[in-house]
Amino acid sequence: MGKLDGRVVIVTGAARGQGEQEARLFAEEGARVVIADVLDEQGKALAEELGEKSALYVHLDVGAESEWQAAVAAAKDAFGKVDGLVNNAGILRFNELVSTPLEEFQQVIQVNQIGCFLGMRTVAPEIGDAGGGTIVNTASYTGLTGMAYVGAYAATKHAVLGLTRVAALELAPRNIRVNAVCPGAVDTPMTNPAQLDPEADPVAAGEAVAELYKKLVPLGRIGRPQEVAALALFLTGDDSAYITGQPFVIDGGWLAGVSVI
């Protein structure tokens, strides 16, 4: 028996990185997973690998309301219901606050904050109609503190935590639990763009990232997307049945403070 047997869960940004690992783990635990992304080729390949009984790919720009409605309709048509959502999709831009163009700031908000809002607003009624379920929002370490050069990103992740708490209060009467994962640095293309650069030396890039987080993180390394997926599974399954409205930091101890050793 899997921990998510009988569940139907939409995972956004699921074609690669953290979302891909969440989709894989959820399917292994018995869920039927709706892989939602704008990376059509990768998303379709993942769905095909997992099998049509376990996975469906849908194109979804999380900042577009009409695409959310279409994704939910496709999920219900394929699997009959929706009783789980992982709002994982997000983008990161590095820029000094006073140098950040308004367009760039708004782009990050559209995906990270409005995408999360639209996901909850669209999917929560379906989860309620299914008898209850869970929503897991992907916030960030930076949603609980500050970090230079990621002002737009940090602002949206603070907002995601606020939305999570409000949603938890409002949706509890419909038997819907809402929590947030707050990753620190995780070894994905978003954190390490060199993974997507065909001209980059992957070994050198990996070594540079490893050296950086060896110094910054008490546990001495960058996080793995599979580790975040395991936390999302916990918050989606019955093991967390009495938990709602909470942020869960998974950062190797980074937020704990500064070590002088």
Side-chain angles (χ1 to χ4, degrees):
M1 296 290 289
K3 293 183 177 182
L4 299 181
D5 284 348
R7 299 290 304 277
V8 177
V9 183
I10 296 174
V11 181
T12 68
R16 71 182 181 201
Q18 206 166 272
E20 176 188 349
Q21 296 306 318
E22 289 163 349
R24 289 183 181 279
L25 181 58
F26 283 26
E28 288 174 9
E29 291 291 343
R32 288 165 291 178
V33 182
V34 180
I35 298 164
D37 211 309
V38 294
L39 301 174
D40 295 332
E41 185 175 343
Q42 291 169 267
K44 289 177 182 177
L46 178 59
E48 183 176 344
E49 179 186 341
L50 296 178
E52 62 180 14
K53 292 184 178 180
S54 298
L56 168 73
Y57 175 72
V58 296
H59 180 93
L60 175 61
D61 174 354
V62 295
E65 184 174 10
S66 62
E67 294 196 17
W68 270 108
Q69 294 166 346
V72 168
K76 291 178 67 179
D77 184 59
F79 300 131
K81 64 172 182 174
V82 177
D83 53 15
L85 170 65
V86 179
N87 271 318
N88 170 74
I91 60 174
L92 173 64
R93 299 291 182 266
F94 293 96
N95 218 331
E96 186 181 22
L97 184 62
V98 298
S99 301
T100 301
L102 177 59
E103 181 180 0
E104 179 178 293
F105 195 89
Q106 291 174 324
Q107 180 190 31
V108 177
I109 289 175
Q110 188 70 27
V111 175
N112 296 3
Q113 182 175 335
I114 294 178
C116 178
F117 160 71
L118 288 175
M120 289 194 290
R121 196 182 71 173
T122 307
V123 180
E126 302 294 339
I127 298 176
D129 290 345
T134 56
I135 297 173
V136 177
N137 295 323
T138 301
S140 170
Y141 160 100
T142 65
L144 292 160
T145 186
M147 182 181 290
Y149 302 105
V150 293
Y153 182 81
T156 61
K157 296 307 184 178
H158 276 76
V160 166
L161 289 183
L163 286 169
T164 297
R165 291 178 173 120
V166 170
L169 294 172
E170 294 184 359
L171 298 176
R174 299 207 66 183
N175 194 31
I176 301 172
R177 298 187 295 107
V178 188
N179 292 290
V181 296
C182 301
V186 179
D187 193 14
T188 66
M190 187 173 77
T191 300
N192 182 11
Q195 293 182 18
L196 300 177
D197 185 354
E199 298 182 0
D201 180 346
V203 175
E207 290 175 349
V209 168
E211 187 63 27
L212 172 64
Y213 291 106
K214 183 178 181 180
K215 297 175 181 177
L216 289 177
V217 176
L219 290 186
R221 64 172 175 86
I222 194 169
R224 304 182 183 102
Q226 295 89 340
E227 293 169 321
V228 182
L231 177 56
L233 172 64
F234 168 72
L235 294 173
T236 300
D238 291 338
D239 289 341
S240 59
Y242 197 55
I243 299 173
T244 195
Q246 302 306 312
F248 285 79
V249 179
I250 176 166
D251 70 347
W254 197 0
L255 190 62
V258 177
S259 174
V260 295
I261 298 175

